[in-house]
Amino acid sequence: MADPNIVPADQILSNKLVLIPLSGRPIFPGIFTPLMINAPDDLKAVEQSCASDNLLGIVMLKNDAERPGASDLHKVGTVARIVKKINLPDGGLNIFISTIKRFKIKRILSEREPMAAIVEYLEDIEDDTFEVKALTRALISEMKEISENNPLFSEEMRLNMINIDHPGKIADFIASILNVDKADQQRVLEMENVRQRMETVLVFIKKEQELLRIQKKIQNEINSRVEKNQREYFLKEELKSIKEELGMTTDAKSSDYQKFKEKIDALHFTGEIKETVESELEKFSLMEPNSSEYIVSRNYLELIANLPWEEPAPEVYDIEKAKKILEEDHYGLDDVKKRIIEYLAVRLLKKDNKGSIILLVGPPGVGKTSVGRSIARAMNKPFFRFSVGGMRDEAEIKGHRRTYVGAMPGKIIQGLKIVKTKAPVFMIDEIDKMGQSYQGDPASALLEVLDPEQNVSFRDHYLDLPFDVSDILFILTANTLDSIPEPLLDRAEIITLSGYIDQEKMEIGKKYLLPKSLDKNGLKKGQVKYTKDALHLIAESYAREAGVRNFEKNLDKIHRKYAAELIASDEVKEATAALEKEIEEDKTIREAFERLGMFVEAGIFVDNSEDKSADKALKKYLAKENTKEGAEVKAARAALKKALSKPLSITAADVEKYLGKPVFDEEVILKADKPGTAIGLAWTSMGGDTLLIEAVDMPSGAGRDGLQLTGQLGDVMKESASIAMSWVRMYALKHKICKPEWFNKNFIHLHVPEGATPKDGPSAGITMATALMSLVRGKKIKPNLAMTGELSLTGKVLPIGGLKEKTVAAKRNKIKTIIIPKQNVRDLDDIPDIVKKDLKFCPVSTMEEVLSLVF
């Protein structure tokens, strides 16, 4: 009779094991399973195990390390015996293992080729109590319920579970077949206490049951929905057949009707809108598709269905992020940015979605449109822009009535259909250039759109339903306020954008215009570099206007000329010829290059392809880089790229070579260097400007007496000249500057260049008086001095507008001293310090003070 204390040799477990890291799920004791082995270290571990005792340590990895070490392994694993080994064609192994027992790693003997460790085997801690028996029954009972509802559990799995006679092994078997996270399975593997293990597995079973319950519920809902859809489909097919039998048409009209009905029902209209839309829908259902009214009605219903009728979501934007966006998009314009941030902060504070009207006024090229885009980006809102410059038909704003052929909704409703939200940012450009005609007045049509009291129920002629456009943020742009109707101005928050001085243009050119121009002209970032003096020369001598459009055009001109030079250069020609020679005989490479779009005029290659697939194909072909042909083509291609990337440095001396003679030179800068001349400052739609006022005298006679004015002066400016003449005559006679007969014997001609440009406004009053006084005295005024101010008949200097723009113009024209009305001193705070730098402002309140400063 065998001794019960004697253990069979094949069941003796060594405390030294070779280890195989497992990246999937842990394997529990008591399992017979196949295992695929491919990693070199793992193959060596299997070979070593087969050469000794056929034992392997299976341990799960903590992470998916490519070459796992000891620190990547969990401490607890399962010892397994290799039952069978099959060699695979790819060099791998398929082994069948029988897992025996848990072990804990005590010490790692080697980390590579293969991994080995000293282990300690773990025994189950058992409590032979009623609770354990009850847990065993509960586990088997609950698993039966899961297996009955899950086809993935085979009959064999159910029998195995029932026949296991050990509580701990039951818990292990269930944990291995449940769809549980691998970390939770490892936690069960590490539990030595059988009761604790069973309780944990019971919790997993309950979770699985809940998941199965929810899954079954979803499946039943889907099945009922599918059955309903199938029933509807069969009924529709039957209806279709009946209609065909009766000779009724079964065209696309019914599907259009159904589509419109579903969309309109989902919008939940009420009142007038509901009545009108339902009436139109019913009329549409009765129309014949060949009817002329059919398309009109269909387009109308399509517009209604696609307009954003729902209330907009609450606004969410970050003031700090908005500041950052404005800074990124624009240089300078600090007061404009400040006003916009204040406006956004108020909207957030009030939690008010209602739109507002912002009017951006400034000369061309200062960034009005781009400021509008930045506001939309800062507010996370869609942006829609349209221009009303030259518009003469109010139907462009309010739409045409549907009775007209080709009727369309107005720009407002069209824009809302495009942006698909009720609270976008709309930019209406050039509102100062709207016209009037027999077709209507679009400026008056805009009044309803921009009036917060009326636009909650805006009626487009085409839609003919009240639509709330009060959530739209309107941004208007204009060059001047003169031609904008007062009621329109009254509705808007006016923000003025002034022109730029040379220093600002240089910074804008460096940060924004230069990268944009290089990209536009096919040059690489940083390929053309400018010295500070070069940028200053372009700003001062070629682009002296208020905006930066001409500055950008000059940069484009330089880059175009350099691109032409580059293509015609010997280096590029040689590199092109070399590349053509390399690929000339190879049809496959030539086709790949042609697909890449690398051939342009004159056979020059330009490697700017967007065709990723072609590029990939070419690279794959040239992957024969270790072959002579592939390497030579690659080298020739690299040489051409290098030649096309040749850098250029532009200094002040190079600017004239690319741009020609300066447009503005020192002679263009206005100088009052003769008696009878004075420099005034004016504000125009193009920004601030300087005016040289000239006055000459000649003997009276031949019908010439008094004062003659030329230069396309407006009525207000003509009156200012008459006031200036009267005051100078009075002052000269009072202070005996000249004899009384001087005015009787001399005819005075006053001219304001440029003669082709219309001019008006009272702010040249003191300049005209100064020019006339300089003429009477025969004395020049001080150099680099300009002035602005309205003159009263008694010699008072009255305030003017546009001081900031006028100051910028003075700065551009090398003026050092500016005479301003004393009441305009408060406006100096609005002028940036960089503009005021090196300028001297002299406030005056009377004409006598002006004369004391100019002579």
Side-chain angles (χ1 to χ4, degrees), residues 672 678-679 781-787 815-819 853-854:
I679 297 174
I781 67 169
K782 291 178 182 177
N784 301 321
L785 181 145
M787 62 197 77
I815 299 297
K816 300 295 181 188
T817 306
I818 302 176
I819 297 173
L853 291 168
V854 298

PDB file of all heavy atoms in Angstrom, residues 672 678-679 781-787 815-819 853-854:
ATOM      1  N   ALA A 672       6.621 124.949 -45.278  1.00  0.00           N
ATOM      2  CA  ALA A 672       6.148 126.334 -45.426  1.00  0.00           C
ATOM      3  C   ALA A 672       7.379 127.236 -45.455  1.00  0.00           C
ATOM      4  O   ALA A 672       7.717 127.905 -44.478  1.00  0.00           O
ATOM      5  CB  ALA A 672       5.221 126.693 -44.276  1.00  0.00           C
ATOM      6  N   ALA A 678       1.507 128.144 -45.044  1.00  0.00           N
ATOM      7  CA  ALA A 678       1.381 127.569 -43.694  1.00  0.00           C
ATOM      8  C   ALA A 678       0.890 126.118 -43.836  1.00  0.00           C
ATOM      9  O   ALA A 678       0.197 125.791 -44.796  1.00  0.00           O
ATOM     10  CB  ALA A 678       0.412 128.375 -42.842  1.00  0.00           C
ATOM     11  N   ILE A 679       1.278 125.291 -42.869  1.00  0.00           N
ATOM     12  CA  ILE A 679       0.899 123.871 -42.931  1.00  0.00           C
ATOM     13  C   ILE A 679      -0.237 123.613 -41.950  1.00  0.00           C
ATOM     14  O   ILE A 679      -0.133 123.899 -40.754  1.00  0.00           O
ATOM     15  CB  ILE A 679       2.101 122.960 -42.603  1.00  0.00           C
ATOM     16  CG1 ILE A 679       3.195 123.147 -43.653  1.00  0.00           C
ATOM     17  CG2 ILE A 679       1.680 121.502 -42.543  1.00  0.00           C
ATOM     18  CD1 ILE A 679       4.483 122.413 -43.356  1.00  0.00           C
ATOM     19  N   ILE A 781       6.914 131.546 -41.735  1.00  0.00           N
ATOM     20  CA  ILE A 781       6.654 131.021 -40.385  1.00  0.00           C
ATOM     21  C   ILE A 781       7.788 130.060 -40.003  1.00  0.00           C
ATOM     22  O   ILE A 781       8.609 129.680 -40.836  1.00  0.00           O
ATOM     23  CB  ILE A 781       5.288 130.298 -40.299  1.00  0.00           C
ATOM     24  CG1 ILE A 781       5.292 129.004 -41.132  1.00  0.00           C
ATOM     25  CG2 ILE A 781       4.164 131.213 -40.738  1.00  0.00           C
ATOM     26  CD1 ILE A 781       4.085 128.120 -40.866  1.00  0.00           C
ATOM     27  N   LYS A 782       7.824 129.651 -38.755  1.00  0.00           N
ATOM     28  CA  LYS A 782       8.876 128.748 -38.276  1.00  0.00           C
ATOM     29  C   LYS A 782       8.794 127.401 -38.991  1.00  0.00           C
ATOM     30  O   LYS A 782       7.700 126.936 -39.338  1.00  0.00           O
ATOM     31  CB  LYS A 782       8.738 128.544 -36.763  1.00  0.00           C
ATOM     32  CG  LYS A 782       9.076 129.783 -35.965  1.00  0.00           C
ATOM     33  CD  LYS A 782       8.863 129.529 -34.468  1.00  0.00           C
ATOM     34  CE  LYS A 782       9.160 130.794 -33.667  1.00  0.00           C
ATOM     35  NZ  LYS A 782       8.886 130.602 -32.231  1.00  0.00           N
ATOM     36  N   PRO A 783       9.954 126.722 -39.197  1.00  0.00           N
ATOM     37  CA  PRO A 783       9.943 125.430 -39.903  1.00  0.00           C
ATOM     38  C   PRO A 783       9.387 124.303 -39.025  1.00  0.00           C
ATOM     39  O   PRO A 783       9.341 124.413 -37.796  1.00  0.00           O
ATOM     40  CB  PRO A 783      11.426 125.187 -40.213  1.00  0.00           C
ATOM     41  CG  PRO A 783      12.164 125.952 -39.155  1.00  0.00           C
ATOM     42  CD  PRO A 783      11.317 127.163 -38.849  1.00  0.00           C
ATOM     43  N   ASN A 784       8.990 123.199 -39.681  1.00  0.00           N
ATOM     44  CA  ASN A 784       8.490 121.969 -39.013  1.00  0.00           C
ATOM     45  C   ASN A 784       7.362 122.260 -38.024  1.00  0.00           C
ATOM     46  O   ASN A 784       7.300 121.675 -36.938  1.00  0.00           O
ATOM     47  CB  ASN A 784       9.636 121.248 -38.285  1.00  0.00           C
ATOM     48  CG  ASN A 784      10.749 120.848 -39.230  1.00  0.00           C
ATOM     49  OD1 ASN A 784      10.495 120.430 -40.350  1.00  0.00           O
ATOM     50  ND2 ASN A 784      11.982 121.010 -38.789  1.00  0.00           N
ATOM     51  N   LEU A 785       6.480 123.179 -38.433  1.00  0.00           N
ATOM     52  CA  LEU A 785       5.373 123.573 -37.564  1.00  0.00           C
ATOM     53  C   LEU A 785       4.065 123.401 -38.328  1.00  0.00           C
ATOM     54  O   LEU A 785       3.972 123.758 -39.501  1.00  0.00           O
ATOM     55  CB  LEU A 785       5.565 125.014 -37.111  1.00  0.00           C
ATOM     56  CG  LEU A 785       4.511 125.621 -36.174  1.00  0.00           C
ATOM     57  CD1 LEU A 785       5.173 126.571 -35.178  1.00  0.00           C
ATOM     58  CD2 LEU A 785       3.430 126.366 -36.945  1.00  0.00           C
ATOM     59  N   ALA A 786       3.070 122.798 -37.674  1.00  0.00           N
ATOM     60  CA  ALA A 786       1.747 122.634 -38.284  1.00  0.00           C
ATOM     61  C   ALA A 786       0.697 123.021 -37.263  1.00  0.00           C
ATOM     62  O   ALA A 786       0.989 123.133 -36.057  1.00  0.00           O
ATOM     63  CB  ALA A 786       1.543 121.189 -38.741  1.00  0.00           C
ATOM     64  N   MET A 787      -0.532 123.215 -37.741  1.00  0.00           N
ATOM     65  CA  MET A 787      -1.571 123.679 -36.818  1.00  0.00           C
ATOM     66  C   MET A 787      -2.942 123.195 -37.258  1.00  0.00           C
ATOM     67  O   MET A 787      -3.150 122.824 -38.418  1.00  0.00           O
ATOM     68  CB  MET A 787      -1.550 125.209 -36.753  1.00  0.00           C
ATOM     69  CG  MET A 787      -1.855 125.894 -38.069  1.00  0.00           C
ATOM     70  SD  MET A 787      -1.342 127.622 -38.086  1.00  0.00           S
ATOM     71  CE  MET A 787       0.430 127.485 -38.317  1.00  0.00           C
ATOM     72  N   ILE A 815       6.879 116.766 -38.799  1.00  0.00           N
ATOM     73  CA  ILE A 815       6.497 117.957 -38.031  1.00  0.00           C
ATOM     74  C   ILE A 815       7.022 117.812 -36.596  1.00  0.00           C
ATOM     75  O   ILE A 815       6.974 116.722 -36.015  1.00  0.00           O
ATOM     76  CB  ILE A 815       4.964 118.137 -38.044  1.00  0.00           C
ATOM     77  CG1 ILE A 815       4.445 118.334 -39.471  1.00  0.00           C
ATOM     78  CG2 ILE A 815       4.526 119.286 -37.132  1.00  0.00           C
ATOM     79  CD1 ILE A 815       4.946 119.579 -40.163  1.00  0.00           C
ATOM     80  N   LYS A 816       7.501 118.878 -36.025  1.00  0.00           N
ATOM     81  CA  LYS A 816       8.031 118.858 -34.647  1.00  0.00           C
ATOM     82  C   LYS A 816       7.120 119.578 -33.660  1.00  0.00           C
ATOM     83  O   LYS A 816       7.058 119.226 -32.477  1.00  0.00           O
ATOM     84  CB  LYS A 816       9.417 119.513 -34.604  1.00  0.00           C
ATOM     85  CG  LYS A 816      10.461 118.853 -35.476  1.00  0.00           C
ATOM     86  CD  LYS A 816      10.779 117.447 -35.006  1.00  0.00           C
ATOM     87  CE  LYS A 816      11.852 116.784 -35.871  1.00  0.00           C
ATOM     88  NZ  LYS A 816      12.033 115.371 -35.539  1.00  0.00           N
ATOM     89  N   THR A 817       6.404 120.611 -34.134  1.00  0.00           N
ATOM     90  CA  THR A 817       5.541 121.413 -33.254  1.00  0.00           C
ATOM     91  C   THR A 817       4.133 121.476 -33.837  1.00  0.00           C
ATOM     92  O   THR A 817       3.965 121.721 -35.041  1.00  0.00           O
ATOM     93  CB  THR A 817       6.093 122.850 -33.110  1.00  0.00           C
ATOM     94  OG1 THR A 817       7.459 122.773 -32.689  1.00  0.00           O
ATOM     95  CG2 THR A 817       5.282 123.641 -32.091  1.00  0.00           C
ATOM     96  N   ILE A 818       3.133 121.234 -32.980  1.00  0.00           N
ATOM     97  CA  ILE A 818       1.736 121.272 -33.434  1.00  0.00           C
ATOM     98  C   ILE A 818       0.970 122.247 -32.556  1.00  0.00           C
ATOM     99  O   ILE A 818       0.972 122.137 -31.322  1.00  0.00           O
ATOM    100  CB  ILE A 818       1.072 119.880 -33.351  1.00  0.00           C
ATOM    101  CG1 ILE A 818       1.845 118.861 -34.193  1.00  0.00           C
ATOM    102  CG2 ILE A 818      -0.366 119.933 -33.813  1.00  0.00           C
ATOM    103  CD1 ILE A 818       1.315 117.446 -34.091  1.00  0.00           C
ATOM    104  N   ILE A 819       0.305 123.192 -33.192  1.00  0.00           N
ATOM    105  CA  ILE A 819      -0.551 124.143 -32.471  1.00  0.00           C
ATOM    106  C   ILE A 819      -1.972 123.588 -32.483  1.00  0.00           C
ATOM    107  O   ILE A 819      -2.514 123.272 -33.547  1.00  0.00           O
ATOM    108  CB  ILE A 819      -0.500 125.536 -33.137  1.00  0.00           C
ATOM    109  CG1 ILE A 819       0.925 126.092 -33.068  1.00  0.00           C
ATOM    110  CG2 ILE A 819      -1.481 126.485 -32.466  1.00  0.00           C
ATOM    111  CD1 ILE A 819       1.112 127.391 -33.842  1.00  0.00           C
ATOM    112  N   LEU A 853       3.406 132.281 -31.697  1.00  0.00           N
ATOM    113  CA  LEU A 853       4.149 131.011 -31.778  1.00  0.00           C
ATOM    114  C   LEU A 853       4.745 130.771 -33.160  1.00  0.00           C
ATOM    115  O   LEU A 853       5.774 130.103 -33.287  1.00  0.00           O
ATOM    116  CB  LEU A 853       3.221 129.837 -31.423  1.00  0.00           C
ATOM    117  CG  LEU A 853       2.758 129.743 -29.963  1.00  0.00           C
ATOM    118  CD1 LEU A 853       1.627 128.739 -29.830  1.00  0.00           C
ATOM    119  CD2 LEU A 853       3.934 129.317 -29.074  1.00  0.00           C
ATOM    120  N   VAL A 854       4.091 131.296 -34.217  1.00  0.00           N
ATOM    121  CA  VAL A 854       4.532 130.944 -35.578  1.00  0.00           C
ATOM    122  C   VAL A 854       5.635 131.847 -36.115  1.00  0.00           C
ATOM    123  O   VAL A 854       6.370 131.448 -37.024  1.00  0.00           O
ATOM    124  CB  VAL A 854       3.347 130.933 -36.568  1.00  0.00           C
ATOM    125  CG1 VAL A 854       2.328 129.900 -36.162  1.00  0.00           C
ATOM    126  CG2 VAL A 854       2.713 132.296 -36.730  1.00  0.00           C
TER     127      VAL A 854
END
